[in-house]
């Protein structure tokens, strides 16, 4: 994926952070805009329509959470929250409100760049509908249109609940899907606290997909928050 002319908006009140991100992003051929307040950031979202937003939560004029809520009313562009707040409740709230990812300060720039590229790849892969996606990692392939999963060209047989969880993770590949989101979608709104259901299904998925449960590389856990499926889109048809 080429990053040339991809436009990133940084909304952060710290000049040092904005400067560091600008230098790092420009070195990767991104175009960068900056905003020091939530109001300025929302104005730039509306006028410039960036490809992705990096959003701090601790802004001087309004809470970053409110900025996220306002942004989601007008756009579905990818948003990565970049914040010093590391409490699980803050992360879950942001992700449930529509943030695509959450990175805690201080952060490694290579990890942040990798997450940006992953979200932009996912954004590029969305065409007439996410049901047209095929996704792959090594010998695993997920075909959402055909509702099929293969590992080393052999069909992987999943229960309806296992497939439903995998389907949701695949449709949001590369981003964290919270436990609440998965439980509400797969089991229903009355089961949003039944996290043990989800743990059992995730364990079975790792076993069937050949993912090491002690060091998962495919289906990663964000402790106390949710899960992230690390697969790449391989085309539309």
């Amino acid at each position: 994926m080429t990053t040339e002319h991809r436009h990133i908006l940084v909304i952060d009140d710290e000049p040092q952070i904005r400067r560091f991100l600008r230098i790092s992003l420009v070195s990767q051929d991104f175009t960068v805009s900056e905003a020091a307040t939530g109001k300025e950031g929302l104005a730039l979202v509306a006028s410039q329509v960036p490809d992705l937003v990096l959003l701090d939560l601790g802004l001087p004029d309004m809470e970053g959470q409110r900025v996220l809520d306002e942004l989601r009313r007008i756009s579905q562009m990818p948003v990565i929250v970049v914040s010093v707040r590391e409490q699980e409740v803050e992360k879950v709230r942001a992700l449930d409100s529509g943030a695509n990812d959450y990175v805690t300060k201080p952060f490694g720039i290579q990890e942040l760049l990798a997450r940006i590229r992953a979200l932009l790849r996912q954004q590029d892969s969305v065409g007439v509908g996410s049901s047209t996606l095929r996704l792959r990692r090594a010998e695993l392939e997920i075909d959402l249109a055909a509702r099929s999963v293969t590992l080393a060209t052999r069909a992987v047989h999943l229960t309806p609940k296992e497939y439903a969880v995998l389907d949701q993770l695949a449709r949001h590949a590369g981003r964290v899907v919270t436990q609440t989101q998965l439980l509400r979608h797969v089991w229903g709104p009355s089961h949003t606290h039944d996290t043990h259901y989800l743990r059992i299904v995730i364990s079975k998925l790792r076993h069937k997909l050949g993912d090491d449960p002690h060091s998962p590389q495919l289906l990663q856990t964000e402790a106390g928050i949710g899960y992230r499926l690390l697969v790449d889109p391989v085309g539309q048809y």
Side-chain angles (χ1 to χ4, degrees):
M1 179 200 74
T2 179
T3 61
E4 188 176 3
H5 306 310
R6 304 308 292 268
H7 183 183
I8 309 295
L9 171 61
V10 178
I11 307 177
D12 197 300
D13 66 325
E14 296 184 58
Q16 305 94 321
I17 293 292
R18 293 201 308 273
R19 181 175 182 273
F20 171 67
L21 287 171
R22 182 178 68 251
I23 292 171
S24 301
L25 291 166
V26 169
S27 73
Q28 300 296 309
D29 295 323
F30 289 104
T31 298
V32 180
S33 295
E34 302 175 33
T37 66
K39 185 177 180 180
E40 182 184 359
L42 288 171
L44 289 176
V45 166
S47 64
Q48 298 185 354
V49 193
D51 294 297
L52 183 144
V53 175
L54 298 177
L55 174 64
D56 183 28
L57 293 181
L59 299 170
D61 61 332
M62 57 196 297
E63 267 292 305
Q65 182 66 48
R66 183 181 163 198
V67 175
L68 177 60
D69 292 341
E70 292 293 330
L71 195 156
R72 278 291 168 256
R73 289 191 180 98
I74 61 174
S75 174
Q76 290 303 310
M77 68 182 59
V79 177
I80 299 178
V81 171
V82 182
S83 175
V84 71
R85 302 176 187 177
E86 58 184 11
Q87 297 92 339
E88 289 181 3
V89 64
E90 292 281 0
K91 296 181 181 181
V92 170
R93 184 184 176 201
L95 292 164
D96 277 342
S97 295
N100 297 76
D101 210 339
Y102 195 112
V103 175
T104 305
K105 298 177 182 176
F107 53 85
I109 189 61
Q110 293 305 318
E111 178 186 359
L112 179 61
L113 288 169
R115 295 193 184 194
I116 289 172
R117 287 191 290 265
L119 281 173
L120 291 176
R121 282 197 303 271
Q122 180 187 351
Q123 189 80 349
D124 288 343
S125 71
V126 177
V128 294
S130 58
S131 62
T132 63
L133 287 180
R134 285 184 300 141
L135 304 109
R136 181 180 295 152
R137 183 182 178 93
E139 295 184 311
L140 172 69
E141 183 167 317
I142 303 167
D143 187 328
L144 297 177
R147 293 180 59 85
S148 68
V149 181
T150 57
L151 183 63
T153 71
R154 293 187 177 183
V156 178
H157 298 287
L158 302 177
T159 68
K161 285 288 192 289
E162 290 166 358
Y163 182 82
V165 170
L166 184 63
D167 178 88
Q168 283 301 295
L169 291 169
R171 291 179 188 277
H172 302 86
R175 66 175 278 191
V176 178
V177 183
T178 67
Q179 295 178 8
T180 299
Q181 290 169 334
L182 288 167
L183 288 165
R184 181 184 295 119
H185 184 87
V186 177
W187 281 272
S190 63
H191 293 280
T192 54
H193 298 290
D194 295 330
T195 56
H196 58 288
Y197 291 171
L198 191 53
R199 286 196 298 270
I200 292 170
V201 168
I202 292 293
S203 176
K204 290 182 176 179
L205 279 172
R206 284 181 174 141
H207 175 73
K208 292 183 178 182
L209 301 179
D211 201 20
D212 183 354
H214 303 294
S215 181
Q217 301 300 308
L218 173 70
L219 215 172
Q220 295 188 338
T221 301
E222 296 287 340
I225 301 171
Y227 300 92
R228 185 197 310 269
L229 183 66
L230 299 180
V231 290
D232 294 315
V234 294
Q236 300 174 352
Y237 52 98

